[in-house]
Amino acid sequence: MLKKLKEFWRRHFYGILAVKLIALMLFFTFFVPKYFTPIVVKLPCFSAYGLERVRNTIGVISTLICVFIIVFPIYYSEYKEEKAKKRLLQRTLFDYQKKHQSYVDLVQSVLAKPEYSTIDLDEKWVKDFDLYIQSLAQICKSSRFDFTDFDVASCLMCALMSVFSRTEKRSCSFAFECVRTLISEPKAYEISFLLGDEAVLETIYSYQKVELSALSSTYGNAWFLATLESCFYSKALRHSSTLTFVSDFFNMLYWQCYK
């Protein structure tokens, strides 16, 4: 609940600030001078200044205080946001691996299989994976779509494919093997964004497990791989559309097996 309130505050910061600005301006412009002027003018050191002059002085001072109260939170919020973004840009490969440790372990478990043990996998795939997760999470959040393991699988598949040469014939087969578990046992996530717009996923429910092997006998693995390869290497598809297309393709595979 507290996390949701923090995200709501951050997402609607300027709207809330506008309401507070109006309230503060009304308070400092009308209430403060009207209430405090009769009190201040009775003081010996201010009695010679007159009611109107004291009211105007209090009005100016209260306006300056109001401006400070409004400007400081804006400046401080922007400062924290920029600091968070700078910290994210300074992350090392180890930081990315630690953040996505469960997916790193998944890839390593597939890489340990005899048929893939000779594959030379560039470890920078995890940085691309983080970038794709951030990108697709933003799209799903703005479009009010559920973010699921079909999306995660798409990001992982594309991240792995991005570090392989097109001459590596096993690249698509290896990448699909890495995402197979995610597709057959998918979860849905709630997206929240921390400072710096870093996406955080929290599981909200799980789908029923299915057996993808049922489709192999119908379509064959070659059809899976050919479809994914044509999508990934297609020049007609941009970065974000490739992610969403592959995600929709995995979604379709799951529901074909669910029947």
Side-chain angles (χ1 to χ4, degrees):
M1 183 65 180
L2 182 60
K3 186 173 72 172
K4 290 182 179 180
L5 288 174
K6 287 181 178 179
E7 184 187 357
F8 178 83
W9 167 264
R10 196 175 71 83
R11 286 294 176 187
H12 302 280
F13 177 77
Y14 292 106
I16 296 172
L17 198 60
V19 174
K20 295 174 73 173
L21 173 60
I22 295 172
L24 283 171
M25 288 296 290
L26 291 174
F27 176 78
F28 281 101
T29 304
F30 297 103
F31 177 77
V32 172
K34 182 178 180 180
Y35 181 80
F36 284 99
T37 298
I39 298 174
V40 174
V41 80
K42 291 178 181 179
L43 299 175
C45 56
F46 293 105
S47 58
Y49 287 92
L51 187 67
E52 189 65 28
R53 186 176 179 183
V54 171
R55 181 185 293 112
N56 292 338
T57 303
I58 292 177
V60 171
I61 294 173
S62 62
T63 301
L64 291 175
I65 293 173
C66 178
V67 170
F68 175 79
I69 292 173
I70 295 300
V71 171
F72 178 75
I74 296 176
Y75 173 80
Y76 185 65
S77 177
E78 291 295 330
Y79 167 75
K80 291 205 303 183
E81 188 75 18
E82 288 302 317
K83 188 176 180 179
K85 288 181 179 179
K86 186 178 294 185
R87 186 182 69 252
L88 293 178
L89 290 174
Q90 294 173 343
R91 285 183 298 184
T92 64
L93 181 61
F94 176 77
D95 294 325
Y96 286 106
Q97 291 173 334
K98 186 177 179 181
K99 178 182 177 181
H100 300 293
Q101 189 62 56
S102 60
Y103 300 108
V104 172
D105 293 341
L106 174 61
V107 171
Q108 289 299 323
S109 67
V110 176
L111 200 60
K113 293 183 177 182
E115 61 267 37
Y116 302 119
S117 59
T118 58
I119 287 181
D120 184 20
L121 181 64
D122 190 334
E123 292 185 345
K124 84 176 185 68
W125 70 265
V126 72
K127 294 179 66 176
D128 293 332
F129 176 63
D130 184 80
L131 173 66
Y132 296 158
I133 286 286
Q134 296 291 121
S135 176
L136 201 50
Q138 290 280 4
I139 293 173
C140 290
K141 188 73 171 181
S142 60
S143 304
R144 300 184 182 277
F145 293 146
D146 287 339
F147 193 89
T148 68
D149 271 332
F150 305 125
D151 300 305
V152 175
S154 173
C155 294
L156 183 56
M157 180 91 186
C158 292
L160 292 170
M161 293 287 288
S162 67
V163 297
F164 282 118
S165 168
R166 294 188 68 168
T167 58
E168 175 56 74
K169 300 299 182 182
R170 297 170 298 170
S171 59
C172 197
S173 174
F174 169 76
F176 184 72
E177 189 65 29
C178 290
V179 303
R180 181 184 291 272
T181 302
L182 297 174
I183 303 169
S184 60
E185 301 178 67
K187 297 181 180 66
Y189 303 95
E190 181 180 2
I191 309 169
S192 58
F193 292 93
L194 305 178
L195 285 173
D197 281 337
E198 182 178 14
V200 176
L201 307 180
E202 183 178 354
T203 304
I204 51 178
Y205 63 88
S206 300
Y207 291 78
Q208 181 178 321
K209 182 179 179 179
V210 300
E211 290 295 335
L212 292 180
S213 56
L215 288 179
S216 299
S217 57
T218 304
Y219 299 102
N221 284 331
W223 176 78
F224 288 146
L225 303 182
T227 302
L228 289 170
E229 280 187 333
S230 63
C231 170
F232 185 80
Y233 293 123
S234 173
K235 294 181 180 179
L237 291 173
R238 302 188 305 275
H239 161 70
S240 59
S241 59
T242 301
L243 293 174
T244 53
F245 182 90
V246 175
S247 175
D248 290 341
F249 179 71
F250 288 154
N251 197 346
M252 182 272 293
L253 292 184
Y254 173 84
W255 290 110
Q256 284 289 323
C257 297
Y258 186 80
K259 294 178 180 180

